[in-house]
Amino acid sequence: MAAVQLDTAFEHVRLIRLRAGESLVEAGTAARYVYIPLRAGLMVMPLGGYQPFVAPAWAPLGNTGVIRGAQRNASIYATRDLTLLVIPEESYLNDWHRPYQQAELVARLEGACR
């Protein structure tokens, strides 16, 4: 997050409110947004036989699908009323997603092994 430019990172971010029982995403749909719940209250129902789980507060949801340009691999619904940050795909990829460059990753791994 240190590299994120806050003045542009939040330009297209919005807050949404979900009520208990409402769906956030459906498995198989296009991944166009990253969601950050401001408190616990989302149930994630993954495909592929994985067990459902409650998404923790402040953990980004859907970022892997946005990065890969993939379809959603889980359905998510609210178990209680809550508010979420919604980050559009383009904003997430341009302003939030900061992968290491190869040299940075190598230096960090070498430093960890000392």
Side-chain angles (χ1 to χ4, degrees):
M1 289 299 298
V4 172
Q5 299 295 318
L6 295 178
D7 56 335
T8 58
F10 284 92
E11 185 175 358
H12 299 287
V13 172
R14 299 291 183 262
L15 286 173
I16 63 168
R17 289 177 180 77
L18 285 182
R19 293 192 184 273
E22 289 184 324
S23 291
L24 179 63
V25 297
E26 293 292 330
T29 59
R32 298 288 183 241
Y33 299 93
V34 174
Y35 303 96
I36 301 176
L38 303 188
R39 69 179 191 162
L42 291 176
M43 179 61 71
V44 181
M45 309 291 289
L47 297 176
Y50 295 99
Q51 293 298 310
F53 63 93
V54 176
W58 298 101
L61 297 171
N63 52 329
T64 303
V66 165
I67 292 165
R68 292 180 36 231
Q71 291 184 335
R72 298 289 185 199
N73 61 1
S75 294
I76 304 172
Y77 68 91
T79 59
R80 64 194 303 187
D81 294 358
L82 70 149
T83 302
L84 302 96
L85 287 175
V86 179
I87 308 167
E89 174 184 35
E90 185 175 341
S91 293
Y92 184 79
L93 294 174
N94 290 332
D95 299 318
W96 292 73
H97 181 62
R98 296 281 184 242
Y100 290 122
Q101 297 297 317
Q102 182 178 353
E104 290 175 292
L105 180 59
V106 169
R108 286 185 173 268
L109 292 173
E110 287 174 347
C113 294
R114 292 182 192 174

